[in-house]
């Protein structure tokens, strides 16, 4: 993925996007953990949440590698 357009954004906007993706990953992990503990998660719901977490993490790593 070409990230040159992202790198041209002001630094404050880049930080906002990366922080948002970090928050999305964290919220997804917490939601997944809570649902697993309560047993209220169907297999397809778990797969969907895991996919969302994976996509957000991949985007985050493309924009701001660790």
């Amino acid at each position: 993925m070409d990230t040159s357009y992202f790198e041209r954004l002001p630094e404050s906007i880049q930080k906002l996007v990366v922080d948002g993706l970090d928050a999305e990953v964290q919220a997804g992990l917490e939601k997944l953990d809570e649902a697993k503990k309560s047993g209220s998660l169907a297999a397809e719901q778990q797969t969907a949440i895991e996919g969302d977490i994976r996509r957000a993490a991949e985007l985050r790593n493309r924009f701001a590698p660790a």
Side-chain angles (χ1 to χ4, degrees):
M1 170 190 254
D2 179 19
T3 60
S4 60
Y5 65 92
F6 182 76
E7 294 165 2
R8 289 191 299 264
L9 291 172
E11 212 169 294
S12 61
I13 300 299
Q14 290 180 31
K15 181 172 176 16
L16 183 67
V17 170
V18 170
D19 288 351
L21 289 168
D22 284 340
E24 183 72 24
V25 169
Q26 186 61 38
L29 290 171
E30 290 171 5
K31 182 178 180 179
L32 187 61
D33 188 48
E34 289 173 19
K36 282 182 177 180
K37 286 179 183 176
S38 69
S40 65
L41 198 62
E44 58 273 358
Q45 291 173 313
Q46 179 175 336
T47 300
I49 293 171
E50 289 170 343
D52 290 346
I53 293 167
R54 190 172 22 263
R55 282 187 294 279
E58 288 170 356
L59 271 176
R60 193 257 181 248
N61 288 333
R62 286 181 188 153
F63 291 144

